[in-house]
Amino acid sequence: MIGTGILKGMAVTARNFVGSYFEKERLITVQYPEERSPLPENYRNFPFLIYDSNDPHAGLRCVACKICEKECPPQCIYIVKSDDKKPDYMGKPQFYPKVFDIDISVCMSCQICVEVCPFEAIKMDKEFELSQRERFNHLLLRKEQLSKSNGYYHKIHPVEADAVDKNLADAAAAAEAKKKAAVEAAAKAAAAKAAAAGTAEVKPAAGGPSPSSASS
């Protein structure tokens, strides 16, 4: 029958229209800011830096490798590497960013900085209420503003944060096992060298008299 598709479409429209007055899931108006719709797990806005423990400086994962600065398409990241080093999450001395700025007026939330970071140090935030009266200085976020705890990361991206923590824990365990194996190998090599040196001292020189003949 001609026009059946149109009638079916109009029926769906009418059902949604009437249902929007009675069914909660069909309501399209949220009384913001008193009411807020929950954001999905994979929602992203602007980047932030993660630190472990309670110290934003000592626990900062970033080692100022500048990969994110280099790969950022709009070039909105600016990093200055430190002159000294601090231990990272595996206890290895690493550089850290003396300056880490992100201009969110330029950032396009592409997440490339997150994908190229080898240290799981930069992630995407869910915070979107960042409007300011001034465009330039107030939209340039410094390291102190960008640094947020791993607990905050777990709060906004729980599934992703659990996976990241597991990967870091596995990497730390592998590094510790490798270090332990190296220490054990060095100890065995030293013991073998000492045993070989002791054997060489007892064994007489080639062509020389034996200890028994020399004593007689």
Side-chain angles (χ1 to χ4, degrees), residues 3 8 15 26 32 65-66 87 111 126 128 136 143 181-183 201:
K8 289 182 178 179
R15 185 168 62 251
R26 292 181 181 271
Y32 179 85
C65 64
K66 296 189 176 184
Q111 197 174 289
K126 285 188 175 184
F128 57 88
F136 297 102
K143 182 177 72 170
V183 171
E201 290 178 0

Side-chain angles (χ1 to χ4, degrees), residues 191-212:
K193 185 177 180 181
T199 303
E201 290 178 0
V202 175
K203 186 178 180 180
S210 64
S212 59

Side-chain angles (χ1 to χ4, degrees), residues 4-209:
T4 302
I6 296 177
L7 292 176
K8 289 182 178 179
M10 293 298 294
V12 172
T13 302
R15 185 168 62 251
N16 287 322
F17 175 74
V18 174
S20 65
Y21 285 92
F22 305 102
E23 300 176 21
K24 182 68 177 178
E25 62 273 11
R26 292 181 181 271
L27 294 177
I28 59 173
T29 302
V30 176
Q31 302 301 317
Y32 179 85
E34 290 79 12
E35 297 180 9
R36 296 169 184 261
S37 299
L39 298 174
E41 165 79 13
N42 60 350
Y43 176 87
R44 67 173 188 259
N45 201 24
F46 295 116
F48 71 98
L49 300 175
I50 299 180
Y51 67 85
D52 297 303
S53 69
N54 297 320
D55 192 337
H57 173 69
L60 196 66
R61 294 179 183 175
C62 179
V63 299
C65 64
K66 296 189 176 184
I67 294 178
C68 58
E69 180 186 56
K70 179 181 178 182
E71 297 295 332
C72 178
Q75 297 292 293
C76 66
I77 301 177
Y78 175 69
I79 302 173
V80 176
K81 184 184 292 186
S82 63
D83 299 322
D84 58 329
K85 293 184 178 182
K86 66 176 182 64
D88 63 1
Y89 67 98
M90 292 192 295
K92 182 180 179 181
Q94 296 280 9
F95 290 103
Y96 60 91
K98 183 162 59 175
V99 176
F100 196 116
D101 298 341
I102 295 181
D103 187 354
I104 62 171
S105 68
V106 179
C107 177
M108 61 185 191
S109 303
C110 64
Q111 197 174 289
I112 290 179
C113 57
V114 176
E115 294 172 359
V116 299
C117 179
F119 299 96
E120 305 287 1
I122 186 168
K123 299 296 178 181
M124 302 303 288
D125 208 342
K126 285 188 175 184
E127 186 177 355
F128 57 88
E129 297 171 311
L130 299 171
S131 59
Q132 301 288 343
R133 287 184 175 273
E134 297 183 20
R135 173 183 176 187
F136 297 102
N137 188 41
H138 290 125
L139 292 178
L140 182 64
L141 300 185
R142 312 289 183 179
K143 182 177 72 170
E144 294 73 22
Q145 298 166 285
L146 293 169
S147 299
K148 297 184 179 181
S149 68
N150 190 35
Y152 174 80
Y153 179 40
H154 275 266
K155 182 179 178 181
I156 63 173
H157 296 297
V159 177
E160 180 181 296
D162 287 341
V164 169
D165 280 358
K166 184 179 182 304
N167 291 338
L168 293 179
D170 292 345
E176 185 64 26
K178 185 178 180 180
K179 183 179 178 180
K180 185 178 180 181
V183 171
E184 291 177 353
K188 289 181 180 179
K193 185 177 180 181
T199 303
E201 290 178 0
V202 175
K203 186 178 180 180

